[in-house]
Amino acid sequence: MPTHTFMDLALDEAHAAADAGEVPIGCVIVCDGDLIAQAGNRTLADRDPTAHAEMVAIRRAAEALGNERLADCDLYVTLEPCAMCAAAISFARIRRVYYGAADPKGGAVENGVRYFSSPTCLHRPEVYGGIGETEAAALLRDFFVVRR
């Protein structure tokens, strides 16, 4: 499947999260071209501050593969991962990260702490930003306009 198709699936998860009242972020994990996990934010539904889309998808992928290492997997997420999610991506040994919108305030990949650039980071995935950025940013912007 082409890159844009996987990001489209992540955007579908973000839309579903928004419909549930969650911050509209979606994530999918792909291994050897096969979709193995998908999730949207679930922090409100699960009453869990760690239930970011990436965290939920990583847990599901590890369960699906029966392994905590996701070395042959690629992660597609609609917003630049935060520090917590970047650390989980590193610990899971995810091969590549594709993200939509940059997050100058809370991102930790190309903004903020730049987790993967830290000398203490154990694994650095390949990172590709700006995939589906326009739609991802608009979805987030529209979600927060309604709430302000």
Side-chain angles (χ1 to χ4, degrees), residues 12-101:
D12 290 345
E13 289 293 326
H15 282 284
D19 291 343
E22 301 277 359
V23 175
I25 300 170
C27 179
V28 300
I29 297 179
V30 177
C31 189
D32 296 326
D34 295 323
L35 177 68
I36 60 167
Q38 57 195 76
N41 267 10
R42 298 192 47 85
T43 58
L44 300 175
D46 292 355
R47 301 203 186 300
D48 178 356
T50 70
H52 291 193
E54 301 97 307
M55 300 294 286
V56 176
I58 288 169
R59 289 177 190 130
R60 290 177 179 171
E63 184 176 344
L65 294 177
N67 193 334
E68 74 281 5
R69 299 286 188 240
L70 306 176
D72 295 325
C73 297
D74 300 332
L75 182 144
Y76 296 77
V77 63
T78 58
L79 183 67
E80 178 183 355
C82 69
M84 173 184 67
C85 294
I89 289 165
S90 178
F91 293 154
R93 307 296 195 265
I94 289 174
R95 176 176 54 191
R96 293 184 200 100
V97 173
Y98 299 89
Y99 71 85

